[in-house]
Structure formats: C-alpha cells, structure tokens
Amino acid sequence: MSGDLPDYYFRIRENGAAVFKVDTENRQRRIELEEIAMVNVKNGNIKPHGDHKLSPEDSAAINGWLADRRKLLESREVDDILRAVDHLNLTAHWVQTRASEAQLDAVTDTLLLAMHDLRSVLVRKKAERLMKGDQAAE
C-alpha cells in the first residue's frame, strides 16, 4: 500500500490547503504526515510551516497542486452557476405548481430582490462587454 501513496498530501481548507509530506519509510511502517507549508489559493502565497525549508521538489509539487486546484475551482464555479440556472427553473415550476400562499409569502420578496440584483449586474456586464467590442472594432 505504501508504494501507492503520493509524496505529498494537501488538506483542503476554505482558502487553500495545509501541505504535508507523506512518510512511510520509518521503523513502524506507519504513515506519518509532516506539515511543511500552508498554501493560499486566492493569492498564491506559500508559507513554510515553522522552520521548515521548502526543497525545490516541495515547491514544484505545491505549485503544481496550486495550478491544478485553481483550474478545478474555476470549473466548479461555472458548474455551480449552471446548477443555479437549473434551480431557478425548478423554483419557477414549484411556484407555478405546488407553492402555497404562505410559502410564496415567505420567499417572494427575497427571490425578487436577488433576481433583480442579478439581472442588474448581468445587464451592466453585458453592456460593458458590448462597449469594449464596439471600441475594438473602431
């Protein structure tokens, strides 16, 4: 089993990960995790843990993980938005077919404000993109 383990383990946190070096080469043949760094996905900061000095291999593994994690989070973000579109459609169907007056009273104002806010932002961003396109064409 130890031959199948990666050299590094990344414990995901809300804004990045704690990085551990995986060690299976010890007398007890137990898996040991030595924390070597903290990574912030948003700003790319890598902070060695304690007095640990990151080797070039450590840095390469962390930077590779960081690039892969950013790609994954970006793809998940788009997928989450597409799921939100599906959920809006399901919500419209629920409103039209099953929602009671009390349920509608509980959600209508909040939904209308959220949809108005979203629509405003989408229209503004689309107008900005169209203006940039027009300026580039000139």
Side-chain angles (χ1 to χ4, degrees):
M1 177 181 163
S2 63
D4 298 330
L5 294 176
D7 293 332
Y8 299 91
Y9 171 68
F10 296 83
R11 181 189 297 154
I12 304 299
R13 298 167 46 120
E14 187 171 326
N15 61 348
V19 183
F20 296 86
K21 191 148 191 163
V22 177
D23 177 21
T24 57
E25 302 297 323
N26 55 60
R27 281 191 245 152
Q28 295 83 17
R29 293 182 165 234
R30 293 191 312 193
I31 299 170
E32 293 183 8
L33 300 176
E34 175 192 358
E35 187 171 356
I36 62 170
M38 295 296 293
V39 182
N40 185 311
V41 172
K42 291 183 181 179
N43 62 21
N45 285 348
I46 300 169
K47 294 183 182 175
H49 180 73
D51 294 334
H52 186 83
K53 302 279 189 241
L54 296 176
S55 70
E57 293 83 17
D58 295 340
S59 295
I62 293 169
N63 285 319
W65 176 87
L66 184 57
D68 291 345
R69 183 71 179 168
R70 284 178 169 165
K71 285 179 196 170
L72 175 65
L73 293 175
E74 185 178 323
S75 69
R76 283 184 182 171
E77 188 173 45
V78 170
D79 188 53
D80 287 347
I81 299 306
L82 294 173
R83 288 176 199 237
V85 171
D86 288 349
H87 206 77
L88 281 171
N89 286 317
L90 292 170
T91 301
H93 181 72
W94 171 80
V95 167
Q96 190 170 17
T97 62
R98 294 189 318 270
S100 69
E101 286 188 27
Q103 289 172 319
L104 289 173
D105 286 343
V107 301
T108 297
D109 290 342
T110 304
L111 272 170
L112 286 172
L113 287 170
M115 290 186 314
H116 174 74
D117 181 35
L118 177 60
R119 184 184 184 283
S120 298
V121 172
L122 288 171
V123 168
R124 184 179 75 245
K125 289 294 201 172
K126 181 150 189 159
E128 288 172 3
R129 289 193 314 273
L130 290 172
M131 293 297 288
K132 284 181 186 176
D134 288 347
Q135 291 172 354
E138 292 177 359

